[in-house]
Amino acid sequence: MKAEHAPTIRRTEFMPLPWTVLRVDLHFSLHPEATVVTSRLACVRNRAVDAGALVLDGDELETLALTIDGCDPQPGTVRRSASRIELDIDGDEAELEIVTRINPRANSTLSGLYQSRGGYFTQCEAEGFRRITWFPDRPDVMARFTVTVEGERASCPVLLSNGNLVEEGELPDGRHYARWEDPFPKPCYLFALVAADLVVLERRELTASGREVLLQVWVEAGNLDRAGHAMDALVHAMRWDEETFGLELDLDRYMIVAVSDFNMGAMENKGLNIFNTKYVLAKPDTATDADYEHIESVVAHEYFHNWTGNRVTCRDWFQLTLKEGLTVFRDQQFSADMLAAAAGAEAAASARAVKRIDDVRVLRAAQFPEDAGPMAHPIRPDSYQEINNFYTATVYEKGAEVIRMLHTLLGPEGFRNGMDLYFSYHDGSAVTCDDFVEAMSEANGRDLDQFMLWYSQAGTPRVKAEGVWDGAAGSYLLTVSQYTPPTPGQAEKQALVIPLAIGLIGPDGEDRPLQLEGEAHPGGTTRVLELSSESRQWRFVGLDAEPVPSLLRGFSAPVILEVEEDDARLAFRMAHDADACNRWDAAQRYAERVLLALAAAAADGRAMAVPQGFVDAFARLLRDQRLDAAFRAQALSLPAEAYLLERMQPADPAALRAAQIHLGMTLGSMLADDLRALVEGLVEPAEYRYHPADAGRRALINLALRYLCAARDARGVALAAQRFAEAGNMTDRFGALAALVHGAVAEAEGALAAFYRRYRDDALVLDKWFALQAGMWRRDPAAPPTLARVRALLADAAFSLANPNKVYALLGSFFRANPAEFHLPDGSGYALWAEQVIALDAANPQVAARMARALENWRRFTPALQAAMRPQLERVRDAEGLSADVGEIIDKALAD
Ligand code: TRP
Ligand code: ZN
């Protein structure tokens, strides 16, 4: 039984520290089980604070020595606990020397200094530096670092840290050292060290101002042929930030290092980014188009942090979205621009929409459920127990939506002016979200006080819209209102500023010019209305016929739009909406309506019937050759299961799965001729290249195969099997395999085995193999449950609970991406969940907490499932030695 709760940290309790650190000189003597870290800190009093002790944080440190200005501390001037040292020091300056001993080999948390495949790596965000040495571990302490790394030459020929290499040399006993100097002051969460056996891909580039910089991608030997795409992405990101925001690389050397064991995607350490191999390594035979796309965006994301995160950083961790929301927005814009540029002028708008649709899908599937559950928090949280639990879809994705709304409200130039002002005021400092929005406000002469509510209010706002047509006057009166449901700890909500992009479609399918009552001229066919009160009306005039409104174009705000549209109107917008994002959304809404009706029928044991109108609308999109393939692939993909469950009251995964199986079979069999023709008709270039047009064709073909296999169409299954056998790249090979497995056709098992044989030594490809099987649907009720397969795979030689990628692939996919098989009525899925969360927690609390979150929305499910979940939640809560990470998730889930 957990004895006590971890303390709650509150945003309003922020206090500046009485002492800060100007310079840090670190020396690492690396040994697998006994690394000795010597730290010299030049400390000064903070003039803004009256008085107080020098406070240092530590976590699991063995302290060998601590001196102040060369002397032992005076008796009575030191207060120590396991995690904190307070020193009373006379005067305004002090030099501390601290020696600690740590055990990288035993560090299974992957936070602090740890070992991976014989090398040493660090991860310090958010609070990992305190696991290396005693230090005031907060982002507002910004110091200049010099680092000496000393290690064994044979096992660690490469010794890296932040900044510039200033010295290196040999030492006795087969050891060597390297000394690094980072010219920029930084918080300790951006410190990094790598000592490993790696090889490098290098490129020299000139920055906009003509400075030569050295770019490096470090990988294990044998992976150099997979590093080129990441390097290209880095160069593209550099150019984009110069052109879009006038921001240049400020270092002479910029390094990316790939590591196999990593809790998250990647980390923006100053000049020494550390990446999960998943977001670096790609070649056509092992990586899919989606992998190529993710690598490009993560490389760019970390690169963009150099300005939005590193040069200007966060004052405290409550401000996390200051760097993450802004940097996600920047990487989204970058990816959209890259796709548009590759697609060419004609297809640019569609390419951008496809990217936007991807982002909206993620938001709806991951962030909306979070915002409706026990972990709901504003993008700038008010409290936390464990900061690692707040690297969330809300802070990242909704945070990016909030920045996007500023961009929409202020326009691209206004936004750029705000960014310029932000950097001119805050370069080199640790600031708050208010500082950012104030710079935007000042640069544009616009009051953004009400807009700040987006930073403090949790929950997804509902926007309701109703239109009334006045045929005699040729006018259309639109009434829009907003409402945000209560979230834990926030019962009352105020009206937000909501930018609502809208268009009015005429009966011929063409957009009408938008003219508001009182205006002399119409102003475009898409306009942004601003809803800033609970309810407001707009009257559009000069219309020749009753229009169909297209609201929230481009998904202009992170809200749920509630508008009454009958099937015919959804089909009309599916066919005609000029806004590609809304055209996709019309298809999603129609599919959602059909699926939820089928699920209700399944739950009541009634017969399921798919409305012909939906099949027809779907077929029209499928056949529309004018639409590019990537868009068609988006529009024909059904809404994510996680999103649909969120819309179901109560969530009934078995009924929803029955509905999905039925709809997939119906579409696949009714449209089999079209689908087969599409697979055979879309010609692919012989040589794989990562290009949006090619990727779009491959995506559409793979989707068509999926429907054909779902329908067990014999010729379609044969096509999938043939494409699997003959594929020249991973996108085609895995797409065909996934279609066979999804359809649970006879060919699936053989294909899975062949895939395993081909890639048995390739960890990243095997992650796909694990994830695919964890997501398997049961189409035959007599077949063994997927749970049995997951249990068998846990024992596979290629699986390891110590590797986060493996855990996310197998357990993450099963718990999150396969609701019907996870939420078995007998509760056996929940027993597996509890058992694995407890096992993981003993080694890696961050990863365990991520898995634990799979059950946080347990109260949304049917009473029978809730009753099966509760005891397993309680079992985890009561586990011996539970971490604060998992404890916070479970306590919040169980709270009334
Ligand atoms: N700052 C990283 C990013 O770019 C996130 C991150 C990487 C992280 N590793 C982490 C956060 C470990 C917490 C713990 O988004
Ligand atoms: Zn980030």
Side-chain angles (χ1 to χ4, degrees):
M1 177 89 191
K2 195 150 59 82
E4 59 198 292
H5 294 259
T8 296
I9 322 286
R10 286 175 212 287
R11 181 169 64 85
T12 51
E13 288 168 5
F14 173 84
M15 294 272 267
L17 283 174
W19 284 82
T20 189
V21 184
L22 292 179
R23 286 183 312 280
V24 186
D25 186 45
L26 292 172
H27 183 281
F28 287 82
S29 178
L30 295 172
H31 293 273
E33 278 151 6
T35 288
V36 176
V37 184
T38 306
S39 166
R40 250 181 244 107
L41 305 178
C43 305
V44 291
R45 253 183 212 290
N46 180 352
R47 276 178 241 283
V49 180
D50 279 352
L54 197 164
V55 181
L56 305 168
D57 302 297
D59 186 9
E60 290 191 57
L61 295 172
E62 186 186 349
T63 309
L64 302 183
L66 189 160
T67 60
I68 305 169
D69 294 320
C71 308
D72 292 334
Q74 297 290 311
T77 63
V78 187
R79 289 171 295 282
R80 285 173 188 266
S81 77
S83 60
R84 205 172 147 93
I85 296 180
E86 293 183 17
L87 302 167
D88 296 326
I89 299 174
D90 293 330
D92 294 338
E93 289 176 22
E95 171 131 344
L96 264 57
E97 183 169 310
I98 304 165
V99 185
T100 53
R101 183 158 50 207
I102 52 181
N103 185 341
R105 178 172 285 167
N107 183 3
S108 56
T109 64
L110 311 187
S111 165
L113 178 68
Y114 64 93
Q115 281 210 300
S116 171
R117 295 168 60 85
Y120 298 83
F121 300 84
T122 57
Q123 171 55 42
C124 293
E125 188 178 6
E127 296 178 338
F129 194 73
R130 64 184 65 183
R131 299 172 53 78
I132 295 172
T133 182
W134 291 98
F135 196 81
D137 189 357
R138 327 187 337 173
D140 60 337
V141 175
M142 297 176 80
R144 282 199 175 77
F145 282 65
T146 52
V147 180
T148 307
V149 189
E150 179 217 306
E152 193 184 74
R153 179 176 274 290
S155 57
C156 302
V158 176
L159 304 173
L160 309 175
S161 191
N162 318 81
N164 300 312
L165 178 64
V166 291
E167 196 183 323
E168 54 188 336
E170 298 301 317
L171 293 169
D173 304 322
R175 293 177 72 82
H176 68 148
Y177 75 95
R179 189 169 167 77
W180 294 81
E181 218 172 77
D182 185 347
F184 294 95
K186 66 169 178 287
C188 65
Y189 82 86
L190 292 173
F191 162 80
L193 172 158
V194 171
D197 190 359
L198 303 171
V199 292
V200 68
L201 176 71
E202 286 190 344
R203 194 134 120 197
R204 279 169 215 279
E205 289 285 329
L206 294 181
T207 66
S209 65
R211 225 165 22 83
E212 188 181 271
V213 294
L214 174 62
L215 309 178
Q216 298 184 315
V217 179
W218 294 89
V219 299
E220 279 185 23
N223 280 337
L224 262 190
D225 63 342
R226 303 190 197 193
H229 179 63
M231 177 64 88
D232 290 345
L234 180 58
V235 174
H236 291 145
M238 258 180 73
R239 295 290 165 248
W240 185 88
D241 223 8
E242 291 174 346
E243 282 159 21
T244 315
F245 287 110
L247 297 172
E248 251 187 63
L249 179 56
D250 55 9
L251 288 161
D252 300 333
R253 181 199 271 250
Y254 192 93
M255 299 171 276
I256 287 177
V257 176
V259 62
S260 303
D261 299 289
F262 201 72
N263 283 343
M264 304 265 285
M267 180 63 211
E268 69 264 24
N269 315 302
K270 185 80 187 186
L272 179 55
N273 290 180
I274 299 183
F275 273 61
N276 189 321
T277 44
K278 181 176 165 60
Y279 295 111
V280 177
L281 303 179
K283 61 177 178 183
D285 189 51
T286 59
T288 60
D289 290 326
D291 293 327
Y292 276 82
E293 199 173 321
H294 292 148
I295 288 167
E296 185 175 71
S297 82
V298 177
V299 167
H301 179 98
E302 306 312 329
Y303 177 80
F304 297 152
H305 267 317
N306 191 49
W307 280 95
T308 50
N310 301 2
R311 287 288 287 254
V312 183
T313 194
C314 301
R315 185 193 69 175
D316 55 76
W317 291 120
F318 294 104
Q319 319 298 325
L320 184 58
T321 201
L322 171 75
K323 75 176 177 83
E324 295 304 346
L326 178 54
T327 303
V328 170
F329 172 72
R330 276 151 56 68
D331 83 53
Q332 290 177 348
Q333 295 291 88
F334 163 76
S335 296
D337 285 349
M338 294 294 293
L339 287 167
E346 220 158 279
S350 178
R352 275 178 205 285
V354 165
K355 167 64 182 159
R356 183 70 186 131
I357 289 165
D358 269 333
D359 297 338
V360 174
R361 260 189 213 282
V362 170
L363 191 82
R364 284 181 175 168
Q367 199 277 326
F368 281 15
E370 179 169 276
D371 229 351
M375 272 289 287
H377 53 278
I379 64 167
R380 182 191 59 199
D382 288 317
S383 66
Y384 60 76
Q385 288 171 34
E386 174 50 65
I387 183 57
N388 286 316
N389 286 333
F390 286 81
Y391 286 75
T392 58
T394 298
V395 166
Y396 276 66
E397 318 301 331
K398 186 177 182 179
E401 294 298 321
V402 170
I403 303 294
R404 182 179 297 277
M405 288 190 285
L406 281 173
H407 189 266
T408 302
L409 292 169
L410 304 173
E413 279 166 39
F415 187 83
R416 167 70 197 266
N417 293 337
M419 289 286 279
D420 290 351
L421 197 62
Y422 173 64
F423 289 117
S424 81
Y425 283 161
H426 303 300
D427 187 13
S429 40
V431 305
T432 64
C433 299
D434 302 83
D435 293 322
F436 178 79
V437 178
E438 269 163 31
M440 286 287 157
S441 163
E442 189 185 324
N444 291 278
R446 182 180 164 140
D447 182 340
L448 291 170
D449 288 355
Q450 189 190 353
F451 187 85
M452 281 306 296
L453 288 169
W454 280 107
Y455 284 85
S456 56
Q457 267 182 205
T460 309
R462 310 298 198 263
V463 171
K464 230 193 181 88
E466 264 174 326
V468 177
W469 168 241
D470 181 340
S475 75
Y476 188 74
L477 180 67
L478 186 70
T479 305
V480 186
S481 61
Q482 61 168 300
Y483 160 77
T484 304
T487 50
Q490 264 190 2
E492 306 286 320
K493 308 281 182 179
Q494 289 167 262
L496 297 155
V497 181
I498 298 177
L500 191 72
I502 123 154
L504 295 178
I505 313 170
D508 53 0
E510 297 293 322
D511 269 3
R512 293 293 183 266
L514 300 180
Q515 185 175 7
L516 284 166
E517 187 174 40
E519 290 177 342
H521 307 285
T525 52
T526 297
R527 292 177 62 167
V528 179
L529 308 176
E530 286 180 36
L531 175 65
S532 52
S533 49
E534 234 133 74
S535 167
R536 193 174 155 184
Q537 295 190 315
W538 286 271
R539 188 185 299 277
F540 294 92
V541 297
L543 294 161
D544 56 343
E546 177 170 10
V548 169
S550 166
L551 301 164
L552 204 70
R553 284 188 157 176
F555 199 69
S556 59
V559 301
I560 293 174
L561 178 66
E562 293 177 344
V563 52
E564 298 245 354
E565 287 183 290
D566 60 16
D567 291 358
R569 203 150 117 179
L570 285 173
F572 177 80
R573 288 206 301 112
M574 266 173 86
H576 299 295
D577 203 317
D579 182 73
C581 207
N582 264 14
R583 206 166 164 187
W584 163 79
D585 185 60
Q588 295 287 295
R589 281 171 191 266
Y590 203 168
E592 173 185 325
R593 178 176 299 172
V594 169
L595 281 163
L596 294 187
L598 293 175
D604 301 345
R606 286 181 281 120
M608 291 188 275
V610 179
Q612 188 59 41
F614 181 72
V615 180
D616 293 342
F618 190 92
R620 271 197 299 276
L621 277 178
L622 182 66
R623 290 171 191 150
D624 191 340
Q625 306 281 345
R626 289 163 308 172
L627 295 172
D628 69 49
F631 176 77
R632 277 193 280 164
Q634 288 282 20
L636 301 173
S637 298
L638 302 176
E641 215 167 357
Y643 175 69
L644 290 166
L645 279 178
E646 192 57 37
R647 312 279 294 166
M648 211 175 174
Q649 198 61 265
D652 182 346
L656 179 61
R657 180 61 60 83
Q660 288 179 298
I661 289 177
H662 185 77
L663 182 59
M665 295 246 295
T666 307
L667 293 171
S669 49
M670 293 184 78
L671 303 173
D673 290 339
D674 287 291
L675 292 163
R676 270 187 261 102
L678 195 150
V679 174
E680 287 166 330
L682 285 173
V683 211
E684 269 192 86
E687 183 90 27
Y688 175 90
R689 54 171 193 161
Y690 170 64
H691 185 279
D694 295 5
R697 277 192 293 272
R698 287 186 282 264
L700 187 53
I701 288 174
N702 285 334
L703 185 72
L705 292 176
R706 197 176 157 89
Y707 279 113
L708 287 164
C709 289
R712 311 290 179 85
D713 176 79
R715 280 190 288 155
V717 170
L719 268 175
Q722 184 196 350
R723 288 183 62 91
F724 173 72
E726 293 170 5
N729 62 71
M730 179 54 83
T731 307
D732 288 342
R733 182 171 299 116
F734 192 72
L737 176 65
L740 295 169
V741 170
H742 175 69
V745 298
E747 289 81 347
E749 293 298 338
L752 275 169
F755 190 84
Y756 184 79
R757 280 195 303 277
R758 179 172 180 145
Y759 293 109
R760 62 192 324 150
D761 298 319
D762 193 313
L764 289 178
V765 179
L766 287 184
D767 290 341
K768 298 182 196 301
W769 181 80
F770 281 113
L772 184 61
Q773 294 178 82
M776 279 170 84
W777 291 15
R778 210 166 7 144
R779 289 166 184 274
D780 171 5
T786 302
L787 177 74
R789 186 182 284 262
V790 170
R791 280 209 178 270
L793 289 171
L794 280 167
D796 191 283
F799 184 81
S800 165
L801 220 47
N803 176 251
N805 286 356
K806 290 279 169 298
V807 173
Y808 300 147
L810 183 58
L811 295 174
S813 302
F814 184 60
F815 297 152
R816 286 184 184 282
N818 199 354
E821 293 295 318
F822 173 44
H823 294 269
L824 295 175
D826 67 0
S828 53
Y830 309 141
L832 175 77
W833 169 85
E835 165 200 317
Q836 296 299 318
V837 167
I838 292 167
L840 278 167
D841 194 44
N844 190 333
Q846 283 183 41
V847 172
R850 287 184 182 272
M851 291 302 103
R853 294 196 60 188
L855 272 200
E856 76 188 19
N857 284 356
W858 66 290
R859 286 205 165 91
R860 296 212 63 268
F861 290 80
T862 59
L865 291 177
Q866 282 188 43
M869 283 187 244
R870 184 187 270 280
Q872 297 299 336
L873 282 155
E874 288 170 350
R875 173 180 165 199
V876 173
R877 179 195 62 196
D878 298 342
E880 192 84 43
L882 196 71
S883 69
D885 304 60
V886 175
E888 176 172 30
I889 303 295
I890 305 291
D891 285 349
K892 286 182 175 168
L894 285 171
D896 306 305

